[in-house]
Amino acid sequence: MKKLFKLILILSFFSLNSSQTFAAEKVDYLKTDWSFKGLFGKFDRATLQRGYQVYTEVCASCHSMKYLSYRNLSEEGGPEFSEAAAKAIAASFEVKDGPNADGEMFTRPGKLSDKFVMPYDNVKAAQAANGGAYPPDMSVLVKARGGGVDYIYSLLQGYEDPPSGVTLDDGVYYNKYMYGNKIRMAAPLSDGIVEYGDGTNASVEQMSKDVTTFLMWAAEPHLEARHQMGFKAIVYLIILTILVYFSMKRIWSRVESEV
Amino acid sequence: MSDHDYKPKSKVGQWFNDRLPLLTLANHLTDYPTPKNLNYWWTFGGILTFCLITQIITGLTLAMHYIAHADMAFESVEHIMRDVNYGWLIRYIHANGASMFFLAVYIHIFRSLFYGSYKSPREIIWILGIVIYLLMMAAAFMGYVLPWGQMSFWGATVITNLFSAIPLVGEGIVTWLWGGYSVDNPTLTRFFTLHYLIPFLILGLVVLHIWALHVPGNNNPVGIDIKKPSKDTVPFHPYIVIKDGFALLMFMIVFAFFVFYTPNILGHADNYIEANPMVTPAHIVPEWYLLPFYAILRSVPDKLLGVVAMLSAILILAALPWLDTSKIRSAVFRPLYKQFYWILVADVLILGYVGAMPAEGLYLLIARVATAYYFLHFLVILPVLGFKERTLPVPLSITEPILGGSPNLAAARHRESKIK
């Protein structure tokens, strides 16, 4: 058994080692209590619904979310809008479809099965409208940044005046959490920029938390199912391991040797 | 299997076995005499078999949904993660399974190094193992390219570009590997094809690896040849089966923790950005299991020599049975080798660490020293040590150190500490 502990020690060393890979770029991000962290981490529905509101009213004017469909909004483990509400959300967007029988493209109201409508037709159009910078697609954005949710959460609140000696070009802003501190996105959030239906005060901090939670769900729509299954799987494995351990002891008691 | 005179009990069994001796094989595998003092470091062979099978099964399932096309690969992976039933589970098992596979293979290799399992008469097992390891690296590298993220694309560019270091024909070879003038769709489709093929080559080699093992039988912590079957051995079934099973379950708990709770920690965030030939990531880093070799590659200032050093670092292992001149197998009875062994382990871990860091300043210096020491260990220390080292007396049988009366102090002390 002593050997097994050694083994676990080595395993933990490896996991430590891999997290150090990113240590070189580590900044002290703002912290908040994420409901989805930990063994039983879950999303808060109200937070996700507010987060969707921030996304659709603020971010979506530049950032696409092309891997999500409107049906996802009413699926289990997500914001869990009612199906009627999700249908209404989908119908509020104009979707290009076609060609019809006459060979013409046409627009129609969105359906649950449609992907989120993109703000620009293509990358070039997005760049042209944003001074050459491409607003990245937000579907997996949280997983595509080293600091994950903490990074996004901090970035949204990290805008400040540049320190003396730093000159910024036109259309470039100073953000203390951005890699290199220069960002082409103007501060997207300001107090009260959205009006929450549930009466929550729309402070920058609150909106940052809500929208970041929403982005986490967008990147990992099955996170809740994963945590639930993981707990069951690991408990099952531990019980089985204990049973097998005693069977092994029993079997090996027949020979003069140790296991 | 010549040591077996097995006769199935039933008439049908006999009839079948005379024509295809599968039952003899099954009997050989269950009765296979195994040293009874094998410790838990010996359970990683079974664990590795589990890893290979897991990778093949999850890989086959993923291949049913994945699209090997530069414009669709990234999207199809997201489709797997979102819309395929339990697609997220299958993909995370496959992605983390690769890391678990390498973790297990490194423990397996370093177990071999500690107990001298590569020495006569097990050289062929060892060399087959090195070939499997090389194929694993190729499969893992190509697998990492398939999601077509930024690290996929740029990792593929960097690694395939290594071949351009070959004089005269280098550039031609790279173009040939790419199927064009840059990493693009033809590269992706051929990588997918090879990624699909290699695991089955590995499976075949694993069969040979185990076959070659069953000729001389297992080495053991004492490192002596044992008579088999004898008081020193136990039949593979049920003794080793249950022990391997127990160890495998422990391993699976760690595996499950990664899959369910930190599925992306071993990957790189940049690989969730779709490949873009116009934008180079700030740091191009391979997966953790390739980092020591990446450090060796970068520690040599010349590109060609760097590639040569990196390849030699792996191929030198194949010559190990002849570089190690000691007659004693197990490090338990080699006090000096034991110390050098742990220095080597530290050296490789240091190489892995600096491999993840930018190749500049102190990191580069450390990488150079560690690279030099790596080769020094195999080319100078090991051959000399075999002649110079005063080894401890080796017991005559396994039962001896366990039951007492051993002339070996270390073994006796070990036994005492266990009783207490």
Side-chain angles (χ1 to χ4, degrees):
Chain A
M1 284 307 277
K2 233 199 287 170
K3 300 247 163 71
L4 288 173
F5 289 119
K6 261 193 222 161
L7 207 151
I8 291 164
L9 208 79
I10 288 172
L11 285 175
S12 51
F13 177 82
F14 269 96
S15 56
L16 212 81
N17 207 18
S18 67
S19 55
Q20 276 170 348
T21 311
F22 309 104
E25 300 158 20
K26 205 160 244 173
V27 205
D28 281 328
Y29 294 125
L30 298 175
K31 295 274 183 264
T32 187
D33 51 326
W34 299 113
S35 64
F36 48 83
K37 292 260 162 107
L39 291 189
F40 305 101
K42 275 182 170 185
F43 292 114
D44 179 62
R45 307 293 153 223
T47 309
L48 282 183
Q49 294 191 0
R50 288 197 301 269
Y52 172 70
Q53 191 185 345
V54 177
Y55 167 72
T56 198
E57 289 181 17
V58 182
C59 321
S61 55
C62 299
H63 291 275
S64 61
M65 214 175 227
K66 59 183 175 182
Y67 300 122
L68 273 81
S69 307
Y70 294 110
R71 64 179 160 81
N72 297 139
L73 292 171
S74 66
E75 278 167 3
E76 210 186 325
E80 296 187 4
F81 286 107
S82 67
E83 196 172 310
K87 267 186 182 155
I89 288 170
S92 70
F93 292 92
E94 294 265 286
V95 175
K96 195 179 266 179
D97 203 350
N100 63 12
D102 302 326
E104 304 288 333
M105 300 301 283
F106 59 94
T107 56
R108 57 162 176 81
K111 294 183 288 192
L112 284 181
S113 57
D114 285 320
K115 297 269 189 224
F116 278 22
V117 174
M118 304 218 277
Y120 303 104
D121 285 339
N122 51 57
V123 175
K124 287 281 175 219
Q127 283 173 330
N130 289 283
Y134 170 60
D137 184 84
M138 281 186 162
S139 313
V140 285
L141 192 67
V142 164
K143 292 198 280 185
R145 296 293 180 271
V149 281
D150 292 330
Y151 168 74
I152 306 278
Y153 177 71
S154 306
L155 184 95
L156 287 170
Q157 301 174 65
Y159 286 88
E160 54 185 34
D161 292 330
S164 58
V166 177
T167 48
L168 298 172
D169 294 336
D170 211 24
V172 177
Y173 306 87
Y174 187 85
N175 189 309
K176 60 176 170 177
Y177 298 108
M178 178 75 184
Y179 187 71
N181 296 121
K182 289 178 184 172
I183 186 165
R184 310 274 283 185
M185 174 174 73
L189 300 174
S190 55
D191 288 334
I193 195 171
V194 301
E195 197 178 320
Y196 282 139
D198 61 2
T200 308
N201 178 30
S203 64
V204 169
E205 192 185 342
Q206 181 68 41
M207 286 186 289
S208 302
K209 187 173 178 180
D210 292 345
V211 79
T212 308
T213 306
F214 177 74
L215 290 178
M216 183 71 223
W217 166 75
E220 282 283 313
H222 299 293
L223 179 138
E224 284 187 15
R226 173 154 63 75
H227 284 178
Q228 282 162 15
M229 188 193 284
F231 182 72
K232 285 182 207 157
I234 289 174
V235 167
Y236 173 84
L237 282 172
I238 290 174
I239 293 172
L240 188 60
T241 308
I242 292 169
L243 292 177
V244 169
Y245 175 75
F246 285 112
S247 318
M248 177 178 77
K249 280 289 183 195
R250 183 90 179 251
I251 288 172
W252 277 79
S253 67
R254 296 178 212 157
V255 288
E256 281 184 71
S257 189
E258 288 184 54
V259 273
Chain B
M1 269 155 267
S2 52
D3 53 335
H4 265 268
D5 295 317
Y6 172 73
K7 217 172 162 57
K9 287 196 186 82
S10 74
K11 272 261 156 50
V12 181
Q14 283 175 24
W15 179 88
F16 183 84
N17 205 45
D18 286 344
R19 281 148 186 85
L20 181 67
L22 268 187
L23 294 168
T24 304
L25 177 67
N27 179 261
H28 164 80
L29 291 176
T30 49
D31 279 0
Y32 174 65
T34 317
K36 66 182 183 183
N37 63 338
L38 296 189
N39 55 34
Y40 282 97
W41 301 114
W42 258 269
T43 59
F44 282 88
I47 287 170
L48 283 162
T49 314
F50 164 82
C51 288
L52 178 62
I53 303 294
T54 307
Q55 289 305 85
I56 289 177
I57 292 171
T58 52
L60 284 175
T61 322
L62 289 172
M64 292 173 192
H65 301 280
Y66 170 79
I67 302 166
H69 189 285
D71 295 336
M72 287 180 275
F74 192 85
E75 192 183 342
S76 73
V77 171
E78 279 308 308
H79 165 67
I80 290 168
M81 292 297 289
R82 289 160 195 276
D83 298 330
V84 173
N85 290 328
Y86 298 103
W88 58 270
L89 177 62
I90 299 164
R91 173 163 177 260
Y92 279 154
I93 290 177
H94 197 72
N96 287 283
S99 283
M100 292 295 123
F101 205 157
F102 274 95
L103 177 63
V105 93
Y106 282 125
I107 294 174
H108 194 61
I109 290 171
F110 275 100
R111 188 270 291 155
S112 229
L113 292 181
F114 188 85
Y115 294 108
S117 300
Y118 48 84
K119 291 189 197 200
S120 174
R122 296 185 181 82
E123 299 96 323
I124 299 292
I125 313 174
W126 173 253
I127 290 167
L128 283 168
I130 299 298
V131 177
I132 292 170
Y133 174 52
L134 276 170
L135 285 176
M136 273 175 67
M137 288 201 280
F141 159 65
M142 286 191 259
Y144 197 60
V145 174
L146 302 185
W148 211 241
Q150 275 288 68
M151 264 320 147
S152 300
F153 182 88
W154 291 99
T157 304
V158 169
I159 301 294
T160 47
N161 253 318
L162 295 179
F163 289 91
S164 70
I166 302 168
L168 300 174
V169 290
E171 294 293 336
I173 288 177
V174 173
T175 309
W176 177 71
L177 286 174
W178 285 341
Y181 295 101
S182 68
V183 174
D184 206 340
N185 199 49
T187 327
L188 178 59
T189 50
R190 68 189 52 189
F191 275 22
F192 178 57
T193 312
L194 294 173
H195 183 71
Y196 205 121
L197 169 72
I198 290 173
F200 297 98
L201 298 181
I202 294 177
L203 189 64
L205 285 166
V206 166
V207 171
L208 294 183
H209 192 65
I210 296 171
W211 186 2
L213 168 71
H214 279 232
V215 176
N218 288 67
N219 183 28
N220 61 78
V222 182
I224 51 169
D225 292 319
I226 48 169
K227 280 190 220 120
K228 46 175 192 172
S230 72
K231 232 183 152 184
D232 285 348
T233 67
V234 288
F236 190 79
H237 184 73
Y239 296 95
I240 303 299
V241 169
I242 189 104
K243 191 174 169 183
D244 277 1
F246 170 65
L248 175 61
L249 282 165
M250 300 275 290
F251 183 80
M252 281 169 81
I253 293 172
V254 178
F255 194 156
F257 185 81
F258 277 105
V259 168
F260 290 109
Y261 290 107
T262 58
N264 292 308
I265 197 165
L266 298 169
H268 197 290
D270 277 13
N271 226 28
Y272 278 106
I273 303 172
E274 195 169 356
N276 184 350
M278 300 301 172
V279 180
T280 319
H283 300 293
I284 302 177
V285 194
E287 293 281 78
W288 68 266
Y289 38 80
L290 303 176
L291 287 174
F293 301 108
Y294 193 54
I296 292 175
L297 170 76
R298 294 191 306 176
S299 68
V300 182
D302 181 77
K303 189 175 176 184
L304 177 61
L305 290 179
V307 176
V308 170
M310 182 177 69
L311 284 176
S312 320
I314 305 167
L315 294 177
I316 203 168
L317 293 172
L320 190 57
W322 297 277
L323 288 173
D324 183 354
T325 49
S326 175
K327 295 225 164 22
I328 306 296
R329 287 199 194 99
S330 173
V332 172
F333 306 105
R334 299 183 61 189
L336 276 177
Y337 173 69
K338 202 188 220 167
Q339 290 172 33
F340 283 114
Y341 170 84
W342 287 111
I343 295 172
L344 179 74
V345 172
D347 187 62
V348 172
L349 289 174
I350 288 167
L351 278 172
Y353 179 76
V354 292
M357 295 298 153
E360 58 200 23
L362 188 62
Y363 291 128
L364 188 59
L365 181 71
I366 294 172
R368 284 182 176 157
V369 173
T371 300
Y373 183 80
Y374 182 90
F375 287 103
L376 188 79
H377 176 90
F378 289 108
L379 291 176
V380 180
I381 295 174
L382 275 189
V384 173
L385 211 57
F387 297 112
K388 297 280 178 201
E389 189 176 30
R390 284 190 58 186
T391 55
L392 301 174
V394 178
L396 298 172
S397 81
I398 292 172
T399 354
E400 195 181 27
I402 291 172
L403 295 180
S406 164
N408 170 27
L409 270 175
R413 243 186 262 124
H414 176 65
R415 181 176 162 265
E416 258 171 49
S417 69
K418 277 209 166 168
I419 290 166
K420 278 173 197 163

